[in-house]
Amino acid sequence: MPYDHSKNRRTILLLATSLAACTALAGCGAAADGGTPSHPSQAPRTGDAKPSGTPTAEPTQDPAHPARPLAGRTVAIDPGHNPGNFRHSGEINQKVDIGTIRKECDTTGTSTNAGYTEAAFTLDVSHRLRDLLTAQGAKVVLTHDAERPFGPCIDERARAGNAARADAAVSVHADGSATGNRGFHVILPALVSSGAADTAKIVKPSRSLGESIARQFARATGTAPANYIGAGTGLDVRGDLGGLNLSTVPKVFVECGNMRDPKDAALLSDAAWRQKAAQGIADGIGTYLKG
């Protein structure tokens, strides 16, 4: 059949018109079966991607999972003493270097007249404190969880917080003073520079941490600062505690009350009050970390 030039021109014109329409609609860059795009340099469209350079809106926060204010922060919690220490007097009486002097590895701690031990109290409050802080996004490191027969020694407890590069460290305790001596107090590190001890960098932030915990502890528990130490401030400064002397991160001790006073002992023995104590410490740590 003779070649029809006019028909060929019409066909070319129709193809050109179709290609122009397809380009305008930006829908023909990929083959109809989802195979390789007809223009390899142009990737297929995926969703509603923003043009290059257009700011991306922040994702909407899920009300069921609010932001955790302590995310990215590390807190070291040191439950004072160990429930098994009393079975290992020889080991815990071995002395370790705390910079200024050599001191016993650890002690058994005190107890209420009814036999509720400081070691049991500190572990319970520390668990409650851990849960409260973890719920706010913090990474929590415990110096021990009664998984070992005794200890750790006071120098090892300090090193645990240092190794974790904790943003804050708290040692949980209860005092063993005379009957009539009541209330809580927070022990702050003194300025110490001797041997392995050098607290110069942590004295100021530790005071801020301690003051924050003292305020929030009083609010959460409804108890007053100690009436026998700290001149009513709830704060005491000491340079003879290895857990503070050897710390390179902000650290304080919290003496939650006096186990040897019957009224304080009743509080310390009550689970609901221990939850309040943990809440007060957690609130103090959180306030400090959030600046």
Side-chain angles (χ1 to χ4, degrees):
M1 181 182 293
Y3 188 73
D4 189 341
H5 291 283
S6 62
K7 181 177 180 181
N8 185 51
R9 284 194 296 271
R10 288 194 300 272
T11 300
I12 293 172
L13 180 60
L14 180 60
L15 287 171
T17 302
S18 298
L19 180 60
C22 187
T23 302
L25 291 172
C28 297
D33 62 0
T36 304
S38 58
H39 300 284
S41 61
Q42 180 179 341
R45 290 170 60 86
T46 55
D48 296 323
K50 296 285 190 297
S52 177
T54 301
T56 301
E58 291 295 324
T60 302
Q61 182 173 301
D62 182 355
H65 300 86
R68 300 191 295 173
L70 300 184
R73 299 303 193 111
T74 299
V75 178
I77 301 174
D78 177 28
H81 314 288
N82 182 317
N85 276 359
F86 74 96
R87 300 188 188 94
H88 297 272
S89 58
E91 291 90 343
I92 67 172
N93 284 330
Q94 294 293 318
K95 293 188 176 182
V96 297
D97 183 9
I98 67 167
T100 53
I101 56 174
R102 292 184 65 81
K103 200 169 183 179
E104 289 77 9
C105 158
D106 202 0
T107 66
T108 59
T110 188
S111 68
T112 67
N113 292 333
Y116 182 50
T117 67
E118 181 184 0
F121 169 82
T122 64
L123 197 60
D124 180 84
V125 172
S126 294
H127 286 164
R128 296 171 187 272
L129 176 57
R130 174 198 60 196
D131 294 346
L132 290 168
L133 294 172
T134 300
Q136 295 185 65
K139 174 184 176 181
V140 174
V141 175
L142 291 176
T143 61
H144 78 93
D145 200 3
E147 77 287 359
R148 50 193 293 171
F150 66 91
C153 294
I154 52 181
D155 56 340
E156 187 180 348
R157 291 168 184 266
R159 286 197 297 270
N162 298 344
R165 296 182 179 180
D167 297 291
V170 174
S171 191
V172 180
H173 288 265
D175 209 358
S177 188
T179 298
N181 291 343
R182 298 197 60 195
F184 72 89
H185 66 279
V186 181
I187 304 174
L188 314 176
L191 181 60
V192 173
S193 180
S194 178
D198 185 359
T199 62
K201 292 182 179 179
I202 70 164
V203 166
K204 185 175 180 180
S206 295
R207 174 168 283 274
S208 296
L209 172 62
E211 289 174 343
S212 181
I213 290 176
R215 285 193 301 269
Q216 297 298 334
F217 192 91
R219 181 196 60 78
T221 64
T223 55
N227 61 8
Y228 61 100
I229 195 168
T233 65
L235 303 173
D236 185 32
V237 178
R238 290 178 61 173
D240 64 329
L241 298 176
L244 297 180
N245 285 1
L246 300 176
S247 182
T248 58
V249 300
K251 185 174 182 178
V252 299
F253 280 41
V254 181
E255 297 281 1
C256 298
N258 177 19
M259 298 197 106
R260 306 305 295 174
D261 176 81
K263 292 181 179 179
D264 268 11
L267 296 176
L268 297 166
S269 301
D270 180 67
W273 189 89
R274 292 197 298 271
Q275 184 65 31
K276 293 177 182 179
Q279 187 68 64
I281 298 172
D283 289 347
I285 293 171
T287 300
Y288 166 77
L289 292 179
K290 289 180 282 190

